[in-house]
Amino acid sequence: MAELDLSKKAIKKKILLCILYHNKKINLKKLLNSIQLSFVGEVLIINDGIDYHFKKKNFKKLKFINKPKQKFSISINRNVALNYAKKKGFELLLFLDSDIIPQKNLVRNHLKSHARNKSLFVVGGPVLPSANLKNMNFWEFLDGRLSWFTSIDQNKSHYVDWPYHLPTCNLSIRVKEFSKKKIRFNEKIETGEDADLFNQIRKFKLKAYFDNSCKVKHKDRKDFLSFFNHHFRWGRHQYHNLFKLKKKKQKLLFLIFFPLIYPFLIILQTFFVLKKWLIKNFLYIFLLPIFIFVFAIKSLATYFEGYRSFFR
């Protein structure tokens, strides 16, 4: 096992922390104060469509980049971070979203995971849903179960196999390998850039690892409208992620034959999501009708995106 060098000299070029910031209501200073910045070489804040800065008195290794709000901002800004990490010579790039709450020793545990196994390309960990029994919110509860099934805290670490992926709200990557393989985030999709990333990772047979010690909690959506918009957009992105059709004839065949596979797509998605939660607690079986309904809507969104693509 490789030893983790945490000397000041090693830390300086070891890991770049990048946070995509899009909502001034989120207390960025509070988030930064909850992260082990002593283990971070530099913090890169990418302002997505907002102009936000503060004095760096307590955050000496901090850089802000303003980017205009665009349709595909998420993927575009993640590539900005990749380019910056490569330019500055960082070994690792850790992505955290501004709406997460880091758990104990998050940065150190990402570093330790990469140090233990130099062949790892990406490392992620549990994303804990924010809903709890004391202040139960139905949409928040449902959003957490549908969004983070790939990152359930099961008290064990493992390699990530198809069809699962790791979300970019808590993901560290080896910058040199990204550059060597010419892997980029897909700048033609609004959401689901993490799932698309894992398609590329598997193409090159690179290793992705789920480290159970690298935990964050995510602040999930609490109202119907934000819940529906997010999952409908996710359904639309599935068209680009699953089918990748470029020719007009292929798109026409999709419109004709998709209704035939529609029921099977719903069943498969429900199975792969529910399977993960049932391992944790069998009582999740009672969510089966709700999951089927949600995936029926998401699959309709996939067909809708296919229709738009054909007539575009």
Side-chain angles (χ1 to χ4, degrees), residues 64-106:
F64 288 92
I65 295 179
N66 285 352
K67 299 295 290 184
K69 187 69 177 178
Q70 302 177 66
K71 186 177 182 180
F72 308 119
S73 286
I74 296 175
S75 292
I76 291 172
N77 291 339
R78 295 204 189 282
N79 284 331
V80 168
L82 272 173
N83 293 337
Y84 186 86
K86 180 184 176 183
K87 180 181 177 181
K88 294 293 184 178
F90 282 99
E91 181 182 336
L92 302 172
L93 169 59
L94 172 59
F95 282 115
L96 295 178
D97 282 359
S98 55
D99 52 1
I100 62 97
I101 303 170
Q103 303 300 287
K104 188 177 180 181
N105 297 325
L106 175 65

Short mmCIF file of all heavy atoms in Angstrom, two decimals, residues 64-106:
data_model
loop_
_atom_site.label_atom_id
_atom_site.label_comp_id
_atom_site.label_asym_id
_atom_site.label_seq_id
_atom_site.Cartn_x
_atom_site.Cartn_y
_atom_site.Cartn_z
N PHE A 64 -11.78 32.43 -8.15
CA PHE A 64 -13.12 32.50 -8.72
C PHE A 64 -13.02 32.65 -10.24
O PHE A 64 -12.19 33.40 -10.74
CB PHE A 64 -13.89 33.71 -8.17
CG PHE A 64 -14.31 33.56 -6.73
CD1 PHE A 64 -13.50 34.02 -5.71
CD2 PHE A 64 -15.52 32.97 -6.42
CE1 PHE A 64 -13.89 33.91 -4.38
CE2 PHE A 64 -15.91 32.85 -5.09
CZ PHE A 64 -15.10 33.31 -4.07
N ILE A 65 -13.89 31.94 -10.95
CA ILE A 65 -14.03 32.11 -12.40
C ILE A 65 -15.51 32.34 -12.69
O ILE A 65 -16.35 31.53 -12.30
CB ILE A 65 -13.53 30.89 -13.19
CG1 ILE A 65 -12.03 30.70 -13.01
CG2 ILE A 65 -13.87 31.03 -14.68
CD1 ILE A 65 -11.47 29.49 -13.75
N ASN A 66 -15.83 33.44 -13.35
CA ASN A 66 -17.22 33.72 -13.74
C ASN A 66 -17.50 33.16 -15.12
O ASN A 66 -16.76 33.43 -16.07
CB ASN A 66 -17.48 35.23 -13.76
CG ASN A 66 -17.60 35.82 -12.37
OD1 ASN A 66 -17.65 35.08 -11.38
ND2 ASN A 66 -17.67 37.12 -12.27
N LYS A 67 -18.58 32.40 -15.24
CA LYS A 67 -19.00 31.87 -16.53
C LYS A 67 -20.47 32.21 -16.74
O LYS A 67 -21.28 32.13 -15.81
CB LYS A 67 -18.82 30.35 -16.59
CG LYS A 67 -17.39 29.88 -16.39
CD LYS A 67 -16.48 30.34 -17.52
CE LYS A 67 -16.77 29.65 -18.82
NZ LYS A 67 -15.83 30.04 -19.88
N PRO A 68 -20.85 32.60 -17.97
CA PRO A 68 -22.26 32.93 -18.23
C PRO A 68 -23.14 31.70 -18.14
O PRO A 68 -22.70 30.58 -18.43
CB PRO A 68 -22.23 33.48 -19.66
CG PRO A 68 -21.03 32.84 -20.28
CD PRO A 68 -20.02 32.72 -19.18
N LYS A 69 -24.39 31.91 -17.71
CA LYS A 69 -25.35 30.81 -17.66
C LYS A 69 -25.68 30.36 -19.07
O LYS A 69 -26.07 31.16 -19.91
CB LYS A 69 -26.63 31.26 -16.94
CG LYS A 69 -27.62 30.13 -16.68
CD LYS A 69 -27.09 29.18 -15.63
CE LYS A 69 -28.09 28.10 -15.29
NZ LYS A 69 -27.56 27.15 -14.29
N GLN A 70 -25.49 29.08 -19.34
CA GLN A 70 -25.76 28.52 -20.65
C GLN A 70 -26.61 27.26 -20.51
O GLN A 70 -26.77 26.71 -19.42
CB GLN A 70 -24.45 28.17 -21.36
CG GLN A 70 -23.50 29.34 -21.53
CD GLN A 70 -22.19 28.92 -22.16
OE1 GLN A 70 -22.15 28.50 -23.32
NE2 GLN A 70 -21.11 29.03 -21.41
N LYS A 71 -27.13 26.80 -21.63
CA LYS A 71 -27.99 25.61 -21.62
C LYS A 71 -27.24 24.39 -21.09
O LYS A 71 -27.79 23.57 -20.36
CB LYS A 71 -28.51 25.34 -23.03
CG LYS A 71 -29.52 24.20 -23.11
CD LYS A 71 -30.05 24.04 -24.51
CE LYS A 71 -31.09 22.93 -24.57
NZ LYS A 71 -31.63 22.75 -25.94
N PHE A 72 -25.96 24.27 -21.47
CA PHE A 72 -25.17 23.10 -21.08
C PHE A 72 -24.06 23.49 -20.09
O PHE A 72 -22.94 22.98 -20.17
CB PHE A 72 -24.59 22.43 -22.32
CG PHE A 72 -25.60 22.12 -23.38
CD1 PHE A 72 -25.51 22.69 -24.65
CD2 PHE A 72 -26.68 21.29 -23.12
CE1 PHE A 72 -26.45 22.42 -25.63
CE2 PHE A 72 -27.62 21.00 -24.09
CZ PHE A 72 -27.52 21.57 -25.35
N SER A 73 -24.39 24.42 -19.19
CA SER A 73 -23.39 24.99 -18.28
C SER A 73 -22.65 23.95 -17.45
O SER A 73 -21.44 24.07 -17.23
CB SER A 73 -24.05 25.99 -17.32
OG SER A 73 -24.37 27.18 -17.98
N ILE A 74 -23.36 22.94 -16.97
CA ILE A 74 -22.74 21.99 -16.04
C ILE A 74 -21.55 21.30 -16.68
O ILE A 74 -20.44 21.30 -16.14
CB ILE A 74 -23.77 20.96 -15.54
CG1 ILE A 74 -24.88 21.65 -14.73
CG2 ILE A 74 -23.09 19.90 -14.69
CD1 ILE A 74 -26.00 20.73 -14.31
N SER A 75 -21.76 20.71 -17.86
CA SER A 75 -20.67 20.01 -18.54
C SER A 75 -19.58 20.98 -18.97
O SER A 75 -18.38 20.67 -18.86
CB SER A 75 -21.21 19.26 -19.76
OG SER A 75 -22.04 18.20 -19.36
N ILE A 76 -19.97 22.13 -19.49
CA ILE A 76 -18.99 23.14 -19.94
C ILE A 76 -18.09 23.55 -18.78
O ILE A 76 -16.85 23.60 -18.92
CB ILE A 76 -19.71 24.36 -20.52
CG1 ILE A 76 -20.38 24.00 -21.86
CG2 ILE A 76 -18.74 25.52 -20.73
CD1 ILE A 76 -21.29 25.08 -22.42
N ASN A 77 -18.67 23.82 -17.62
CA ASN A 77 -17.89 24.28 -16.48
C ASN A 77 -17.02 23.18 -15.89
O ASN A 77 -15.94 23.45 -15.35
CB ASN A 77 -18.82 24.86 -15.41
CG ASN A 77 -19.47 26.16 -15.86
OD1 ASN A 77 -18.97 26.84 -16.75
ND2 ASN A 77 -20.60 26.51 -15.27
N ARG A 78 -17.47 21.95 -15.96
CA ARG A 78 -16.62 20.84 -15.50
C ARG A 78 -15.39 20.71 -16.40
O ARG A 78 -14.28 20.41 -15.92
CB ARG A 78 -17.41 19.54 -15.44
CG ARG A 78 -18.53 19.55 -14.41
CD ARG A 78 -18.91 18.17 -13.93
NE ARG A 78 -20.12 18.19 -13.10
CZ ARG A 78 -20.16 18.56 -11.84
NH1 ARG A 78 -19.05 18.96 -11.23
NH2 ARG A 78 -21.30 18.54 -11.16
N ASN A 79 -15.56 20.95 -17.69
CA ASN A 79 -14.40 20.92 -18.60
C ASN A 79 -13.48 22.11 -18.35
O ASN A 79 -12.26 21.99 -18.52
CB ASN A 79 -14.88 20.92 -20.05
CG ASN A 79 -15.41 19.55 -20.48
OD1 ASN A 79 -14.96 18.52 -19.97
ND2 ASN A 79 -16.34 19.53 -21.41
N VAL A 80 -14.05 23.25 -17.95
CA VAL A 80 -13.21 24.40 -17.56
C VAL A 80 -12.31 24.00 -16.39
O VAL A 80 -11.11 24.32 -16.37
CB VAL A 80 -14.09 25.61 -17.17
CG1 VAL A 80 -13.25 26.70 -16.49
CG2 VAL A 80 -14.79 26.18 -18.40
N ALA A 81 -12.88 23.29 -15.42
CA ALA A 81 -12.11 22.84 -14.25
C ALA A 81 -11.03 21.85 -14.66
O ALA A 81 -9.90 21.89 -14.15
CB ALA A 81 -13.05 22.21 -13.22
N LEU A 82 -11.35 20.96 -15.58
CA LEU A 82 -10.37 19.99 -16.08
C LEU A 82 -9.18 20.69 -16.73
O LEU A 82 -8.02 20.35 -16.48
CB LEU A 82 -11.03 19.06 -17.10
CG LEU A 82 -11.70 17.79 -16.57
CD1 LEU A 82 -12.45 17.08 -17.69
CD2 LEU A 82 -10.66 16.86 -15.95
N ASN A 83 -9.49 21.67 -17.57
CA ASN A 83 -8.43 22.41 -18.25
C ASN A 83 -7.56 23.16 -17.24
O ASN A 83 -6.33 23.22 -17.38
CB ASN A 83 -9.04 23.41 -19.24
CG ASN A 83 -9.72 22.72 -20.41
OD1 ASN A 83 -9.41 21.58 -20.73
ND2 ASN A 83 -10.67 23.40 -21.03
N TYR A 84 -8.19 23.73 -16.23
CA TYR A 84 -7.46 24.49 -15.20
C TYR A 84 -6.54 23.55 -14.40
O TYR A 84 -5.39 23.88 -14.13
CB TYR A 84 -8.45 25.19 -14.27
CG TYR A 84 -7.80 26.10 -13.27
CD1 TYR A 84 -7.50 27.42 -13.60
CD2 TYR A 84 -7.49 25.66 -11.99
CE1 TYR A 84 -6.89 28.27 -12.68
CE2 TYR A 84 -6.89 26.49 -11.06
CZ TYR A 84 -6.59 27.80 -11.41
OH TYR A 84 -5.98 28.64 -10.51
N ALA A 85 -7.08 22.37 -14.03
CA ALA A 85 -6.29 21.40 -13.26
C ALA A 85 -5.08 20.93 -14.06
O ALA A 85 -3.97 20.79 -13.53
CB ALA A 85 -7.16 20.21 -12.87
N LYS A 86 -5.28 20.69 -15.34
CA LYS A 86 -4.18 20.25 -16.21
C LYS A 86 -3.13 21.36 -16.35
O LYS A 86 -1.92 21.11 -16.25
CB LYS A 86 -4.74 19.88 -17.59
CG LYS A 86 -3.68 19.42 -18.57
CD LYS A 86 -4.26 19.16 -19.94
CE LYS A 86 -3.17 18.80 -20.95
NZ LYS A 86 -3.72 18.61 -22.32
N LYS A 87 -3.60 22.59 -16.57
CA LYS A 87 -2.71 23.73 -16.75
C LYS A 87 -1.84 23.97 -15.51
O LYS A 87 -0.65 24.28 -15.61
CB LYS A 87 -3.53 24.98 -17.06
CG LYS A 87 -2.71 26.24 -17.27
CD LYS A 87 -3.62 27.44 -17.55
CE LYS A 87 -2.80 28.72 -17.68
NZ LYS A 87 -3.68 29.90 -17.93
N LYS A 88 -2.45 23.80 -14.33
CA LYS A 88 -1.74 24.06 -13.07
C LYS A 88 -0.95 22.84 -12.57
O LYS A 88 -0.27 22.92 -11.54
CB LYS A 88 -2.74 24.49 -12.00
CG LYS A 88 -3.40 25.84 -12.29
CD LYS A 88 -2.40 26.97 -12.22
CE LYS A 88 -3.06 28.32 -12.41
NZ LYS A 88 -2.10 29.44 -12.29
N GLY A 89 -1.08 21.71 -13.26
CA GLY A 89 -0.29 20.55 -12.91
C GLY A 89 -0.78 19.76 -11.72
O GLY A 89 0.02 19.08 -11.04
N PHE A 90 -2.09 19.79 -11.44
CA PHE A 90 -2.62 19.03 -10.31
C PHE A 90 -2.75 17.54 -10.67
O PHE A 90 -3.08 17.20 -11.81
CB PHE A 90 -3.99 19.57 -9.88
CG PHE A 90 -3.90 20.82 -9.06
CD1 PHE A 90 -4.10 22.07 -9.64
CD2 PHE A 90 -3.59 20.76 -7.72
CE1 PHE A 90 -4.01 23.23 -8.89
CE2 PHE A 90 -3.49 21.91 -6.95
CZ PHE A 90 -3.70 23.15 -7.54
N GLU A 91 -2.51 16.71 -9.69
CA GLU A 91 -2.62 15.26 -9.89
C GLU A 91 -4.08 14.82 -9.87
O GLU A 91 -4.50 13.97 -10.66
CB GLU A 91 -1.83 14.53 -8.81
CG GLU A 91 -1.86 13.02 -8.93
CD GLU A 91 -1.11 12.33 -7.80
OE1 GLU A 91 -0.21 12.97 -7.21
OE2 GLU A 91 -1.43 11.17 -7.49
N LEU A 92 -4.84 15.39 -8.93
CA LEU A 92 -6.24 15.00 -8.74
C LEU A 92 -7.15 16.22 -8.81
O LEU A 92 -6.75 17.33 -8.45
CB LEU A 92 -6.44 14.30 -7.39
CG LEU A 92 -5.61 13.04 -7.12
CD1 LEU A 92 -5.79 12.60 -5.67
CD2 LEU A 92 -6.01 11.91 -8.07
N LEU A 93 -8.37 15.99 -9.25
CA LEU A 93 -9.41 17.02 -9.27
C LEU A 93 -10.62 16.47 -8.54
O LEU A 93 -11.17 15.43 -8.93
CB LEU A 93 -9.76 17.39 -10.71
CG LEU A 93 -11.00 18.27 -10.94
CD1 LEU A 93 -10.87 19.61 -10.21
CD2 LEU A 93 -11.22 18.50 -12.44
N LEU A 94 -11.03 17.15 -7.48
CA LEU A 94 -12.20 16.73 -6.71
C LEU A 94 -13.36 17.67 -7.00
O LEU A 94 -13.29 18.86 -6.72
CB LEU A 94 -11.88 16.73 -5.21
CG LEU A 94 -13.06 16.50 -4.24
CD1 LEU A 94 -13.73 15.15 -4.50
CD2 LEU A 94 -12.60 16.60 -2.79
N PHE A 95 -14.44 17.11 -7.55
CA PHE A 95 -15.66 17.87 -7.79
C PHE A 95 -16.61 17.71 -6.60
O PHE A 95 -16.90 16.58 -6.19
CB PHE A 95 -16.39 17.37 -9.05
CG PHE A 95 -15.81 17.85 -10.34
CD1 PHE A 95 -15.24 16.95 -11.24
CD2 PHE A 95 -15.83 19.19 -10.68
CE1 PHE A 95 -14.71 17.37 -12.44
CE2 PHE A 95 -15.31 19.63 -11.89
CZ PHE A 95 -14.74 18.72 -12.78
N LEU A 96 -17.08 18.85 -6.07
CA LEU A 96 -18.15 18.85 -5.09
C LEU A 96 -19.19 19.87 -5.54
O LEU A 96 -18.83 20.92 -6.06
CB LEU A 96 -17.64 19.24 -3.69
CG LEU A 96 -16.64 18.30 -3.00
CD1 LEU A 96 -16.21 18.89 -1.67
CD2 LEU A 96 -17.23 16.92 -2.81
N ASP A 97 -20.46 19.55 -5.37
CA ASP A 97 -21.51 20.52 -5.69
C ASP A 97 -21.74 21.43 -4.50
O ASP A 97 -21.48 21.05 -3.34
CB ASP A 97 -22.80 19.81 -6.08
CG ASP A 97 -22.75 19.27 -7.50
OD1 ASP A 97 -21.72 19.47 -8.17
OD2 ASP A 97 -23.73 18.64 -7.94
N SER A 98 -22.27 22.61 -4.76
CA SER A 98 -22.48 23.57 -3.67
C SER A 98 -23.63 23.20 -2.76
O SER A 98 -23.77 23.76 -1.67
CB SER A 98 -22.71 24.98 -4.25
OG SER A 98 -23.78 24.98 -5.17
N ASP A 99 -24.48 22.25 -3.18
CA ASP A 99 -25.62 21.85 -2.35
C ASP A 99 -25.37 20.53 -1.62
O ASP A 99 -26.31 19.79 -1.32
CB ASP A 99 -26.91 21.77 -3.18
CG ASP A 99 -26.77 20.91 -4.42
OD1 ASP A 99 -25.68 20.35 -4.65
OD2 ASP A 99 -27.74 20.80 -5.19
N ILE A 100 -24.10 20.24 -1.33
CA ILE A 100 -23.78 19.05 -0.52
C ILE A 100 -23.25 19.49 0.84
O ILE A 100 -22.84 20.64 1.03
CB ILE A 100 -22.77 18.12 -1.24
CG1 ILE A 100 -21.42 18.84 -1.49
CG2 ILE A 100 -23.33 17.59 -2.53
CD1 ILE A 100 -20.37 18.58 -0.48
N ILE A 101 -23.30 18.56 1.78
CA ILE A 101 -22.72 18.77 3.11
C ILE A 101 -21.63 17.71 3.30
O ILE A 101 -21.94 16.52 3.40
CB ILE A 101 -23.79 18.62 4.21
CG1 ILE A 101 -24.94 19.60 3.98
CG2 ILE A 101 -23.16 18.84 5.59
CD1 ILE A 101 -26.14 19.37 4.89
N PRO A 102 -20.35 18.12 3.30
CA PRO A 102 -19.26 17.14 3.44
C PRO A 102 -19.32 16.44 4.79
O PRO A 102 -19.59 17.07 5.81
CB PRO A 102 -18.00 17.99 3.32
CG PRO A 102 -18.45 19.30 2.76
CD PRO A 102 -19.86 19.49 3.21
N GLN A 103 -19.07 15.15 4.78
CA GLN A 103 -18.98 14.41 6.02
C GLN A 103 -17.51 14.34 6.46
O GLN A 103 -16.61 14.82 5.77
CB GLN A 103 -19.58 13.01 5.85
CG GLN A 103 -21.03 13.02 5.36
CD GLN A 103 -21.99 13.73 6.30
OE1 GLN A 103 -22.32 13.21 7.36
NE2 GLN A 103 -22.45 14.91 5.92
N LYS A 104 -17.26 13.74 7.59
CA LYS A 104 -15.94 13.77 8.24
C LYS A 104 -14.82 13.25 7.33
O LYS A 104 -14.96 12.21 6.70
CB LYS A 104 -16.00 12.95 9.53
CG LYS A 104 -14.76 13.05 10.39
CD LYS A 104 -14.95 12.26 11.68
CE LYS A 104 -13.70 12.36 12.56
NZ LYS A 104 -13.86 11.59 13.81
N ASN A 105 -13.71 14.00 7.28
CA ASN A 105 -12.49 13.59 6.57
C ASN A 105 -12.70 13.32 5.09
O ASN A 105 -12.01 12.47 4.50
CB ASN A 105 -11.88 12.34 7.24
CG ASN A 105 -11.43 12.59 8.66
OD1 ASN A 105 -10.96 13.68 8.99
ND2 ASN A 105 -11.60 11.60 9.52
N LEU A 106 -13.59 14.03 4.46
CA LEU A 106 -13.93 13.76 3.05
C LEU A 106 -12.70 13.87 2.14
O LEU A 106 -12.40 12.94 1.38
CB LEU A 106 -15.02 14.72 2.58
CG LEU A 106 -15.37 14.63 1.09
CD1 LEU A 106 -15.99 13.28 0.77
CD2 LEU A 106 -16.32 15.76 0.69
#
